[in-house]
Amino acid sequence: MRRWLLALILALPGAPLHAELSPAPLEILLEAALTEAAGPALPAGAAIELILPEGVPDLALRVISLREDLSNGRFAAVIEPQNGAPLTLAGRFQAMVDVPVPARSLSPGEMARAEDFTHRRLPLHALSATSVLAMEEIRGREVRRLLPEGRPVPASSLRAPRVIRRGDRLELIYTARGLRVTAAARALEDAALGATLRVQNLSSGKIVTGQALTDGRVEIDR
């Protein structure tokens, strides 16, 4: 393994040529070269899967040059085989990503729990730009739109948990110059912790805007 690792480092395009190269599996050399070429476009933890033409050698010394297109999954490479002249080959590849998907359909209003999700390996091109790639982005969030079983989760389908819901009876709090005034109110919209919302003072009927606190309290904006 150490010998292959050294060969891999030396075999990448642009690597210095003064060191002696050792043969390494061609697929490993190409996967490393494609990963390096894709750069930031490849999510952390993504793996490259190759489809190579028949008859290519199992081992090679290095990838001399590489052209790749992540959008259509095609590449062309010039490799240095163990013996003979440089060899040109073309093939296909796809970046595979392990993403969290619901283990069952989740309805709006449910809390996203780790036990309700599993991981599924999917091609990168099958994911949208807003697909959630890590469980850390899901755990503890509230489902906003239906999440079908086994499908990638759009970030827009999750939100911060609501601590206040429309129609809830609340305690309005206003503090100024050491004076604290409270009043009963009703929420006119949902709100997450720290979010602003409109509420109606039940005594005066006046509608004001405040910030959602815990335990059914709203602090009036100053």
Side-chain angles (χ1 to χ4, degrees):
M1 179 60 73
R2 290 182 178 178
R3 184 178 180 184
W4 280 1
L5 181 59
L6 176 59
L8 180 59
I9 294 171
L10 295 173
L12 290 174
L17 299 180
H18 59 271
E20 181 180 352
L21 298 176
S22 298
L26 177 60
E27 287 197 13
I28 291 180
L29 295 178
L30 288 172
E31 287 168 6
L34 287 165
T35 299
E36 182 183 49
L42 206 59
I48 296 292
E49 290 188 356
L50 295 171
I51 302 176
L52 298 176
E54 293 184 3
V56 298
D58 293 330
L59 301 175
L61 295 178
R62 68 186 181 105
V63 178
I64 298 173
S65 64
L66 175 74
R67 298 195 313 274
E68 93 296 331
D69 190 333
L70 194 60
S71 63
N72 64 21
R74 296 182 181 276
F75 75 91
V78 179
I79 65 169
E80 183 178 349
Q82 286 183 267
N83 301 295
L87 175 66
T88 300
L89 60 89
R92 300 185 63 88
F93 74 101
Q94 59 182 3
M96 303 297 292
V97 186
D98 288 324
V99 297
V101 299
R104 62 176 180 85
S105 293
L106 297 174
S107 301
E110 289 193 70
M111 295 300 296
R113 304 174 304 169
E115 55 264 38
D116 292 326
F117 289 81
T118 186
H119 280 80
R120 183 179 174 192
R121 175 161 285 201
L122 294 171
L124 181 61
H125 64 74
L127 304 176
S128 72
T130 62
S131 293
V132 176
L133 301 181
M135 191 63 214
E136 289 72 20
E137 302 174 51
I138 294 177
R139 188 182 294 109
R141 306 282 286 176
E142 181 181 338
V143 178
R144 183 180 180 188
R145 299 187 183 93
L146 177 68
L147 299 180
E149 179 182 348
R151 299 187 61 178
V153 177
S156 60
S157 294
L158 300 169
R159 62 181 165 194
R162 291 171 292 177
V163 296
I164 293 175
R165 296 177 183 266
R166 182 177 180 178
D168 284 354
R169 286 181 65 90
L170 310 166
E171 181 185 32
L172 274 180
I173 302 172
Y174 179 77
T175 305
R177 297 181 181 179
L179 180 66
R180 176 186 172 93
V181 179
T182 64
R186 184 178 73 252
L188 300 180
E189 54 194 334
D190 298 340
L193 181 64
T196 57
L197 74 155
R198 293 178 303 115
V199 300
Q200 185 177 37
N201 187 313
L202 294 181
S203 297
S204 66
K206 183 178 180 180
I207 295 175
V208 296
T209 300
Q211 183 180 42
L213 305 177
T214 57
D215 303 324
R217 295 174 299 145
V218 172
E219 185 175 26
I220 297 177
D221 293 340
R222 295 177 177 81

